[in-house]
Each structure stands twice: as structure tokens, then as C-alpha cells.
Amino acid sequence: LELGGGEGLGALGWGDMWAILQAIGFGTAFFFTEGMMARNPGQALPITAVQVGMTALFAGLWASLDGFGLLGTFGGDNGAWLLEEGTRAHYAIPGLFTSAFSGDD
């Protein structure tokens, strides 16, 4: 749970909902994957490839929508990070390494 300062556990927020939904979705995916693997044991690689591909597709879609600011404040307060050079540089691979050591926020 997100901590709300000195008020104990604080208020529940969007991050808490996403964390719970992620755990439920992860468990549900493994439940269905186990059933598919039991029916088609020779199809482990194609099943895994589809799962990884769909995860990449939805992650890319979410990052693009958030990066261009199309999610508004729903994706967080760093919306439209792809449109700002200073912020975009921090999300690129070299920027992730350099900002981790420079102390930039």
C-alpha cells in the first residue's frame, strides 16, 4: 500500500489498484497457460511467444499513449514525456544509466 506519511497506511490509490489487478492477472494467466500446456504439451514455445508478444504490444501501446500525453493525468504527472527533450532523454537507455548516477529527478 502506498504510504501516506505519518498517518499509518495512508489512503488507497490507483497504484494499489494496479498492484492488485496485476497479481490477479498474473495468476489468471498462469492458470490458463497451465490448461493450454496440458492439452498441447508440444506447443510451449508458441504459447509463450504469444504471451510475450501481447505483453510487449500492450506495454508499447501504454507507453506511447502516456508518452504523447493522451492519457492525461491518468498515467501519472509525467505525461507527454516523449514530447519534452529533457524528460525523454531520461527514459532512453543511456539516460537511464546517466540519470541514475547524476542524482537528477
Side-chain angles (χ1 to χ4, degrees):
L1 295 174
E2 295 177 25
L3 300 177
E7 298 102 27
L9 291 177
L12 295 176
W14 280 107
D16 301 316
M17 182 193 73
W18 289 123
I20 291 170
L21 285 176
Q22 187 270 338
I24 292 170
F26 186 79
T28 303
F30 267 85
F31 176 77
F32 285 121
T33 300
E34 183 179 0
M36 287 186 287
M37 296 283 191
R39 287 190 305 273
N40 302 309
Q43 296 295 316
L45 189 58
I47 289 171
T48 304
V50 169
Q51 287 178 330
V52 171
M54 292 307 293
T55 301
L57 175 75
F58 284 115
L61 181 64
W62 183 284
S64 297
L65 290 174
D66 185 44
F68 288 111
L70 300 175
L71 294 178
T73 58
F74 182 73
D77 56 355
N78 281 340
W81 55 270
L82 284 173
L83 302 177
E84 299 174 12
E85 181 60 37
T87 307
R88 181 176 56 209
H90 285 289
Y91 286 100
I93 293 296
L96 289 174
F97 291 120
T98 58
S99 66
F101 298 114
S102 68
D104 292 340
D105 290 333

